[in-house]
Amino acid sequence: MLLATKFLRPAADARAIRRSRLLDLLERRQGKRLDLVVGPAGFGKTTLVNQWSAAQPLPVAWLSLDANDNDPRRFWQYVTGALIHAGFAELEKCQKAFNTFAAHELEGAITGLINTLVTCGAGGLNLVVDDYHQIQSTEIHRQLTYFIDYLPPGMTVVLISRTEPDLPLSRWRVRQWVDDIHPQLLAFSEDECRQFFQDCMAIELNRDEARKIWQKTEGWVAAMQLSALSARNKPAGSQSAPASLVPDSLRQINDYILSEILDQQPDDVARFLLDTACCLRLTASLCDSVRQSKDSQEMLEALSQRNLFLIPLDNRDEWFRYHDLFREALFQRLQQSDPDRIQTLQSRAIHWLLDHDHIQEAIAQLVQLEDWQWLGGVLEQHGNNLIHGGFHLPVLDWLDKLPDGVVANNPRLSMLQIWGHFFANRLDAIEPRLERLEDLLDRRVADSHPDAEGALGLQSEIALIRSYLARTRSDLKSAADLTQQVLRDIDHTQIPLKSVTYYGLGLDYFGRGDLPAAEEALQSAVSHGQIERKPSTVLSSGGLLAWIQFNLGHIDLALESCVSVRRWIDRHYADPKQPKLISCWQNCALIEIYRERGELELAETHLAPLLGHLEQGTEPGQHVIIQYARAHLAFTRGDYMQAINALDDAERVLRRRREHIVFEPPNLEALKARVQLAQGRTDQAREWLDRRNPEAFRNPLNAEQDAITAARVLIAIDAPGEAITLLTPLRLSTEKGQHNKHLIEVLTVYAEALSREGKNAEGKAVLTEALKRASREQMFRLFVEESPAVHHLIRGIDSPTVDDDYLNRLRTMLPEQQAAAADLKPQPAPGLVEPLSVREREVLELINEGLANKDIALRMQVAGTTVKAHIRNLYGKLQVKSRTEALARARQLDLLA
């Protein structure tokens, strides 16, 4: 049971001063998704947002967090509860989903929440989450990132926190999604200034003193805090007011900090502040290492209690940072008083960071020190893991900072740069660098260079990357030969290459259609990748493994492969501020798994991040796979035009860049023929049947899909006997090859063909076998997407060998079970390819009013991309290419007055 008091806004404080400038910052504006209010305790954050909420004409859902909410399932139950409490009763189903979905499926429940918010008109909703600093779970940060990335248009989230949350704020700020209220912006009026000193700093000021401080600081809270600390340090009986000690301009703030704060501290505190000024973040162990002492935890706690500009970064008093201005002033003093000590202190900090696996922070310190030799050594040691962790672009930037000639004359760094370009998909940059590296290695071996043995070890890496380049040219023989060479030499090298090598081997076997061998190689790639700590390789290998397992019909196994790999990635490489590491293979496998099980919201969850890859430009093979999975999901939803558009786009990429794709793409034309059958375009499907070339496929999965779809077309054109002839050998080969998914499809289509020939009893027996096999893996959409004749046969099945619960659920999903609802749907107008949806009719009418796309989006309270999608579908259904043609065609069909 949820605690209802967590959904209640705090009681209004009549003494609270209205702060109009900050309230204006919280007001709604076009494109805003997030208000971020960050400041220490007692700075009036909650009071400010509470005042703003009270004045809102639109609903405000309020949620106050506590330490117990640092659990993903509980967090989202409470978020949904707050929204329901605000009046959105439609979300009760979503709340149940957060109770029932598995932990790894919660993003699907979040997708359902977003979709329901869209449909129930939450465009004007405000969601306030107070005390977000209580959340430390990286999983919640990632999930909230996803939620805000796909927030319904017009909805705003307000986060109140004592610390800046681990969210991709920089990316959102660039997109102008965020309005920030940080401590620097919490500027006080003259009256607020006096109250601040009295209530927060326990210093009594008269009105004149408060006015002087307010005038000099212009209400800046940091400077007021400085003057308050200065006043505390004045000897008893001192007559000088704090106002007289405040700097006249912000440029003087460093001198002020040094003279009035640092110099007033006890020697041990001042020494601690100066010694730790080189650290961007502070924790006791790091400070002990830098200071060569053991009392840093006590010092940090004392500084926190004294309010000396120490900002907590967690709720456990483990990590802190100094206020930026305070740290800069301390560092300036250290440069003036003891410049030689800076390098010693920073070196100690860097050693600690490297020892504790804070590699990127250590590199940032090295760049600041401009110690290029040390930076080169760190990149040699850690650069490979950084690249495989998804940080190939930062590695390339750091290599560029090294002096001219350093990378070119260092084989290890040269190889690192080549891998960086490879993962950045800059293939044109690789070949010339490989040639220079090979020349350098040859010279070192010939000259008996001291590192000649290391040079020989790099030959395996060169062979490995050349094997991948060969695959991009479809030179599979060279790729296989080079990979085998690496496998022969791999145990004699000190370089962790096994995971990447076995992934390449898995690609080769997959390309040749040897699926059992591909599975074995990819399982090895995952295991070695985890040992070598190469997350990108683990994710890609596990994703391709799951794709193969799904298409073989082992859906539970495919899902387990995805879940176990994702858990490993999230356990070892979880940084919410960085983009979530994803694999095209894995996400597409998950789209197919959840699509097949009828959990379309979960499938959409895994499609959404891939669409960004399409927009930004991705490797051609990935582009084709993504569009194939997207088309299949659209086909399942009944959005046939989107399915055709995605397949057409994939075919264009395939024609242009086939030589750059390292595997045999899925059978695009077979899926398109299925869509055409569903649209009633039998003639077009028959054209494909006449031109198909079953000998063109190396991968048996593609060849089998080709034959199964051909049998469907033959049945549709009333040639069931030819379909049976085609399917009979396929039934045997798919069973022998243990291609369970295709075997079930073969049996299903075979049953329909038998029924068409009047052999109903035999057809039911064959279909019963298909259902019995499908129930083991909980396959549903495979049958739902078949013809009405198959649906009719399923309803007649009464066999004890088929699980009743499975069969009953399947029957509820069949289209004819929803006939009453179907009668309410819009019917096609004469000449329409398929009926217009309610939304498409609305768009058509707004186009008729002469509105531009952005105005239509505002009127409908949807995103501009959604309007474009509706218009694209509208054009497809009307079979036109422009607004003018659409309006003319619509009037011709009596769709407009």
Side-chain angles (χ1 to χ4, degrees), residues 500-667:
V500 187
T501 306
Y502 277 109
Y503 176 57
L505 199 62
L507 278 172
D508 290 340
Y509 287 133
F510 178 61
R512 291 203 297 268
D514 189 345
L515 304 183
E519 280 190 275
E520 184 178 352
L522 292 166
Q523 287 165 344
S524 295
V526 170
S527 299
H528 287 298
Q530 291 174 341
I531 294 169
E532 297 167 358
R533 297 180 71 83
K534 286 185 165 58
S536 290
T537 307
V538 169
L539 202 52
S540 296
S541 304
L544 180 54
L545 175 64
W547 178 267
I548 292 171
Q549 290 168 335
F550 169 80
N551 282 285
L552 289 175
H554 309 309
I555 298 184
D556 282 339
L557 188 60
L559 184 57
E560 176 55 32
S561 295
C562 291
V563 171
S564 62
V565 164
R566 185 77 256 170
R567 282 177 182 157
W568 184 85
I569 295 291
D570 290 344
R571 191 165 62 247
H572 293 89
Y573 297 90
D575 183 353
K577 291 184 179 178
Q578 297 296 332
K580 183 176 180 179
L581 200 61
I582 65 170
S583 156
C584 161
W585 284 117
Q586 184 176 89
N587 275 47
C588 288
L590 288 166
I591 292 168
E592 289 285 76
I593 290 167
Y594 289 121
R595 181 198 59 77
E596 179 56 50
R597 291 191 164 172
E599 299 176 79
L600 302 190
E601 287 179 346
L602 284 170
E604 292 281 3
T605 298
H606 298 287
L607 174 63
L610 297 180
L611 299 182
H613 285 238
L614 292 179
E615 293 169 4
Q616 296 160 15
T618 187
E619 185 269 325
Q622 292 187 2
H623 188 109
V624 171
I625 288 286
I626 293 168
Q627 290 290 48
Y628 177 85
R630 184 186 192 183
H632 207 173
L633 182 57
F635 170 67
T636 295
R637 290 196 313 265
D639 190 346
Y640 302 132
M641 286 307 302
Q642 186 181 88
I644 292 291
N645 290 340
L647 290 169
D648 285 345
D649 178 69
E651 287 176 344
R652 284 192 294 271
V653 170
L654 186 58
R655 284 194 298 270
R656 287 198 320 267
R657 305 190 66 186
R658 178 64 186 90
E659 68 279 6
H660 295 295
I661 300 177
V662 300
F663 54 87
E664 183 175 282
N667 197 330

Side-chain angles (χ1 to χ4, degrees), residues 228-294:
L229 290 168
S230 173
R232 284 180 175 173
N233 290 322
K234 287 297 170 188
S238 172
Q239 297 301 310
S240 66
S244 64
L245 301 174
V246 177
D248 291 323
S249 72
L250 299 185
R251 288 192 298 271
Q252 296 172 300
I253 197 68
N254 279 6
D255 291 339
Y256 181 77
I257 290 173
L258 296 172
S259 63
E260 298 299 333
I261 302 299
L262 181 64
D263 292 345
Q264 303 298 326
Q265 303 305 317
D267 289 344
D268 60 335
V269 174
R271 174 53 62 184
F272 179 91
L273 294 171
L274 291 171
D275 284 353
T276 56
C278 63
C279 302
L280 300 177
R281 296 188 303 148
L282 305 170
T283 193
S285 175
L286 170 59
C287 294
D288 281 345
S289 179
V290 170
R291 299 171 57 236
Q292 303 288 282
S293 68
K294 296 182 179 180

Side-chain angles (χ1 to χ4, degrees), residues 10-72:
D13 185 351
R15 297 170 301 173
I17 301 168
R18 182 172 179 81
R19 310 178 68 187
S20 299
R21 188 174 67 84
L22 296 182
L23 292 170
D24 289 343
L25 285 174
L26 292 171
E27 286 304 317
R28 307 176 67 81
R29 62 170 173 79
Q30 183 70 27
K32 179 162 72 171
R33 302 190 180 194
L34 176 66
D35 282 312
L36 184 61
V37 184
V38 177
F43 269 56
K45 305 181 299 297
T46 301
T47 300
L48 174 71
V49 176
N50 194 22
Q51 288 176 336
W52 172 79
S53 299
Q56 292 304 299
L58 298 169
V60 175
W62 189 284
L63 172 60
S64 297
L65 299 175
D66 56 46
N68 295 319
D69 299 323
N70 193 38
D71 169 78

Side-chain angles (χ1 to χ4, degrees), residues 173-188:
R173 285 171 182 138
V174 169
R175 296 181 180 181
Q176 298 185 341
W177 287 4
V178 184
D179 280 340
D180 295 277
I181 299 179
H182 281 289
Q184 297 92 323
L185 288 178
L186 290 170
F188 285 62

Side-chain angles (χ1 to χ4, degrees), residues 842-853:
E842 186 178 351
V843 169
L844 180 61
E845 290 169 359
L846 294 173
I847 289 174
N848 191 39
E849 290 182 25
L851 297 183
N853 286 9

